[in-house]
Amino acid sequence: MKSFINVQDIGDIQKALAEAQEIKNERFKYQHLGKNKTLMMIFFNNSLRTRLSTQKAAMNLGMNVIVLDVNAGAWKLETERGVIMDGDKSEHLLEAIPVMGCYCDLIGVRSFAGLTDREYDYAETVLNQFIKYSGRPVFAMETATVHPLQAFADLITIEEHKTNKRPKVVLTWAPHCRALPQAVPNSFAEWMNAAPDVDLVITHPKGYELDPKFVGNAVVEYDQKKAFEGADFIYAKNWSNPGVTNLADYGKITCEDRSWTVDTEHMSWTNNGKFMHCLPVRRNLIVTDDVIESPNSLVIPEAANREISCSVVIKRMLEAL
């Protein structure tokens, strides 16, 4: 595996899930693969779970790890071609990337959407420059449009906690005080569509339609109560307007309806449903205290599985070196 961005990169889902379980049972089994190899983790944005879980996974596999926070201690980087660099950015990404590649064997990149230019964000401009110019295998640690390590961990969590063979999984929009990217819901929808035994329903206010390439065969239901009925898993997540129905709305907050907050009444509509969220979560905005603290909340096991999903990805990349 030379790159990891979308669900297609993981190959057979069932094999990937079996490999995840194997690694979870014996986390240090493949330490020999990473001996004398170095992972460079590059962060253009803040991180807690991604930073910790990815570093832990790499260490489990015997790797050395370099962490570069671009906004703390590195030169400010220009990402656009043709720019006269007479401002506060001292180095261009096109020089920085191959230099980074000199010091490592694998690269993980975290770079969020700017939420001002949909074409630029959905072209994955920053990530693709790393793939093109680094000379190293590259995996996404959340990009402008996707977060595959999170979605893989979500699928592992659902597989571990499902009580029937084909669960109903609902991705629900929830309100937020800031404009957030669509990366997590995009990848969640993509991975649930690829899973062989999941019925996916996506619910959100009208105008918040995700890109069709991620929605796939999911049922889109604008009535949140109807969507929740009989659900086995509720995955709550805010996203800003994707600009699919109106490009001018891209990246904006066009709905602030607090009735979409997931509370005990919402969960009562489900089939004793489990609550999921990628974290960090704004309590009593996305979800109420009683729901996230309930026995049916999976947010901590879900976060723990980030180490496992990342271990599978890094293992496969090391095997391909």
Side-chain angles (χ1 to χ4, degrees), residues 41 43 47-60 65 67 141 303 306-307 310:
M41 299 162 56
F43 291 90
S47 177
L48 190 152
R49 277 148 297 280
T50 296
R51 181 167 182 162
L52 297 178
S53 63
T54 305
Q55 187 164 353
K56 181 65 163 62
M59 293 167 63
N60 289 353
V65 180
V67 179
M141 300 192 301
R306 290 292 308 279
E307 176 188 342
C310 193

Side-chain angles (χ1 to χ4, degrees), residues 195-228:
D197 294 311
V198 168
D199 287 328
L200 175 64
V201 176
I202 302 175
T203 185
H204 53 72
K206 289 186 177 181
Y208 271 75
E209 291 77 10
L210 297 170
D211 192 300
K213 71 180 180 181
F214 297 110
V215 174
N217 296 321
V219 173
V220 177
E221 174 55 65
Y222 296 106
D223 184 328
Q224 192 185 28
K225 183 175 183 179
K226 186 176 179 181
F228 275 45

